Amino acid sequence: MRTAFVIVALIVPSIALALPDDATLSRLLVGTWHGHRHDTQYRADGTWIMDLPDEGENSRGKWRIEHGKLITTWRFSGESSDSTAVEEIVELTENIFKSRIISQEGPGKPEGQILPSEIFTVTRLTERK
């Protein structure tokens, strides 16, 4: 009996803190997010663009959420293959998006690059009236 209580005590908090399903996370992500260096717009059609307004030279690509991870792809000018980044979603609400980069692959990635272990936080931009 005591063992069952310990197991329940350990599992219940992790279930309560679990992220919503991928479809809910995707709906929450759609919009424009402000970071310390860039603003990024995630669109409902699965595309993203950085630093609006779009004058044709902005970084852009595709995004999707799988198993609570944000996967973004893009192609650098002059490259023949895509680059990909995978971010662990730590928290995603209507106004806050916290994530940690867990992998980055593709052309342009510096050899021996060590990804930061810090959590990045961005905030949703709201329409000004």
Side-chain angles (χ1 to χ4, degrees):
M1 183 69 163
R2 185 177 187 156
T3 304
F5 177 74
V6 170
I7 291 171
V8 169
L10 293 173
I11 293 174
V12 170
S14 64
I15 292 171
L17 296 175
L19 289 171
D21 61 79
D22 291 348
T24 301
L25 290 171
S26 295
R27 281 191 300 277
L28 284 168
L29 185 64
V30 171
T32 303
W33 296 88
H34 175 71
H36 72 282
R37 293 179 55 205
H38 301 284
D39 291 345
T40 304
Q41 182 183 77
Y42 295 93
R43 298 174 175 168
D45 66 359
T47 62
W48 62 267
I49 185 166
M50 190 178 293
D51 294 332
L52 301 172
D54 180 14
E55 296 174 10
E57 294 298 319
N58 306 66
S59 294
R60 62 183 69 237
K62 296 182 180 180
W63 69 270
R64 68 185 186 281
I65 294 178
E66 291 181 4
H67 309 294
K69 293 176 178 58
L70 172 62
I71 302 165
T72 55
T73 59
W74 65 94
R75 185 167 294 185
F76 290 113
S77 292
E79 294 293 343
S80 60
S81 61
D82 290 342
S83 293
T84 302
V86 179
E87 297 177 51
E88 172 188 16
I89 298 172
V90 176
E91 178 182 356
L92 181 53
T93 68
E94 290 291 330
N95 298 306
I96 300 290
F97 174 33
K98 294 182 182 182
S99 65
R100 174 185 297 116
I101 300 170
I102 56 176
S103 72
Q104 188 171 341
E105 299 298 329
K109 178 185 175 201
E111 192 168 322
Q113 175 187 20
I114 298 173
L115 296 170
S117 62
E118 66 188 279
I119 294 175
F120 296 95
T121 302
V122 294
T123 56
R124 185 181 303 276
L125 288 177
T126 56
E127 297 291 328
R128 295 184 181 179
K129 296 180 180 181

